[in-house]
Each structure stands twice: as structure tokens, then as C-alpha cells.
Amino acid sequence: MLSYKLAVLCLSASVLIATNALGAVFDKRAAAFFDPVLGGGSMFIDAGNGLGEPLNVIISGLSSPDVLTLDGVTNFARAIGFSQECLDIHLGNPFSANLGDGHGAVNQSVELRQDFGDPALGTCLESLIGGNHFRVFFQNGPTADSGAVFLAVSKEEDLEENHTIVPDGYDIGRNLLVESALGTTSFSGVTYSTTAQNITGLMPAGSAGVNHGIAVDGIVTLLTVNIV
């Protein structure tokens, strides 16, 4: 069972996802998000080895518009305990995702790491001892421009373990991020109010095709983030 700071309402994906037929052009910002699979995409990012990692959190396209930009997501991330990578240094290749929006496979926009309360240097500690982190992708293509932000969240091991994902790390990472986001948070003079809904049916449960052979529970959490 998930334990969040606020009650989380579980809804079927069919209630939240536009059911437009394949090939249709979706109305801009007409929904919280569009199911990538309907546009030929996937709810798993490409890890570069034939396997995928889950897009297990979505920031709704119905959130405040200022949240749905690279700078906006980064500031929100800082409000919930994440920051840019240590000294802006990224090791390893970027991962890509196809969000079914007409752009095809697109590399992550940014990778953000747990900062342990220090937005300036805390991610250097995460790089050493491990912690939570996520990759950011925007659904803003010509055929499905919801404006939603898809996050691939996971908790990883320390540097000695080469930052591999901890056991059950995809579900754990999602839960930790959601718990830190719910309710009222703030950073750099911006205050956010965040609610969450759990969605089933967007991705399969289990470990088939999942990077590191780590099973996922098939739940995607939708966050609606409003600036107050």
C-alpha cells in the first residue's frame, strides 16, 4: 500500500486519458496528458540496452503553465528536494522517450537528483551515497501537445555500486517523490500546491523488458501542481 501525506485517489486511466483514435490531432492542453501508446510511443524510456525504465510520474498538463517549462520543473524540483546534477556534470548517456506526440524518440531534457537539503551541492552527496533521481520529458509535439511533463523516477545505489537501481527502486523512487511533493511546498519565492492521483492501465506490471530486471507495480502517479 502506498502511504502519502494526503489521500490519493485511484482512478482508471480511461477516465483521465483522451481516447482519440490513432492519427487524430489532439487539442492543445485539452487534457492532463495523452497516453503515449495511442501515438505509437511507450510508457518506458529507452535505457540504451534494449530495455526500458518506467515513466512512473506525470505532472499534469492542467497544472499551472509556469510549472510546465524546463525552468519551472527545475524550480518545482528544488521545492521538493531535488536539484541539478553535481557541478552540472552528467556521467553516462542520456536516455530517450517517445511520448507519442509526433516528435518520436527525444532525449531527456534534464536529470535531477536528490539534494539532501542543499540545492547548491547536495546532489554531489547523492552522486556518492546514492538516493532518488528522475529524468524529465515534455509531451509537446504536434499531434499530442498536452504540455504534460513525464518523469522517470528511481532510487539508485551509491557510487561504489555504479548507481544501479536499488531493489524495487522504480516504485520506491516514485513513492518518495510523490510523498515529498504533496501538499504545500516552496522555493525561490514560488509556492506550490500539489495533489496526486494513481492511475492503472497505462503500463504493465512485472519485470518483462524492464531495465535491471526490476519489477514495477504498473502504477503511474499523476501530479497536478498549482502555483498559489
Side-chain angles (χ1 to χ4, degrees):
M1 296 290 293
L2 300 178
S3 176
Y4 295 153
K5 291 185 291 185
L6 298 177
V8 177
L9 176 63
C10 294
L11 297 178
S12 167
S14 61
V15 176
L16 294 167
I17 305 169
T19 55
N20 304 58
L22 277 173
V25 176
F26 299 116
D27 290 336
K28 182 179 176 71
R29 309 294 159 87
F33 66 94
F34 298 114
D35 182 349
V37 175
L38 296 180
S42 173
M43 284 299 296
F44 290 87
I45 65 175
D46 183 357
N49 58 1
L51 300 173
E53 298 192 355
L55 290 159
N56 47 13
V57 174
I58 301 171
I59 299 177
S60 168
L62 303 179
S63 300
S64 294
D66 284 349
V67 176
L68 305 176
T69 66
L70 183 56
D71 287 345
V73 168
T74 301
N75 198 77
F76 174 65
R78 288 174 174 153
I80 65 174
F82 295 82
S83 294
Q84 291 172 301
E85 295 187 276
C86 178
L87 305 178
D88 286 331
I89 297 173
H90 176 71
L91 300 178
N93 295 324
F95 290 176
S96 65
N98 183 346
L99 299 184
D101 60 0
H103 278 325
V106 176
N107 283 344
Q108 65 198 46
S109 294
V110 69
E111 187 168 346
L112 298 164
R113 297 182 181 277
Q114 188 175 353
D115 65 18
F116 298 98
D118 183 349
L121 295 174
T123 56
C124 297
L125 179 61
E126 195 277 344
S127 294
L128 291 174
I129 69 171
N132 216 11
H133 77 308
F134 62 92
R135 304 169 193 268
V136 176
F137 304 86
F138 292 89
Q139 190 177 57
N140 57 9
T143 59
D145 185 5
S146 68
V149 187
F150 286 63
L151 311 180
V153 191
S154 57
K155 185 177 181 181
E156 60 183 6
E157 302 276 11
D158 60 21
L159 182 60
E160 186 175 347
E161 296 294 330
N162 297 314
H163 288 169
T164 190
I165 307 302
V166 304
D168 200 26
Y170 299 119
D171 294 346
I172 289 172
R174 176 202 61 210
N175 294 350
L176 289 173
L177 182 146
V178 173
E179 287 177 357
S180 66
L182 282 170
T184 302
T185 56
S186 63
F187 186 83
S188 190
V190 183
T191 300
Y192 305 95
S193 177
T194 303
T195 59
Q197 298 168 325
N198 279 346
I199 303 168
T200 58
L202 276 178
M203 70 168 66
S207 61
V210 182
N211 203 20
H212 306 293
I214 297 173
V216 298
D217 60 13
I219 294 173
V220 177
T221 301
L222 178 71
L223 300 179
T224 301
V225 184
N226 288 305
I227 295 174
V228 297

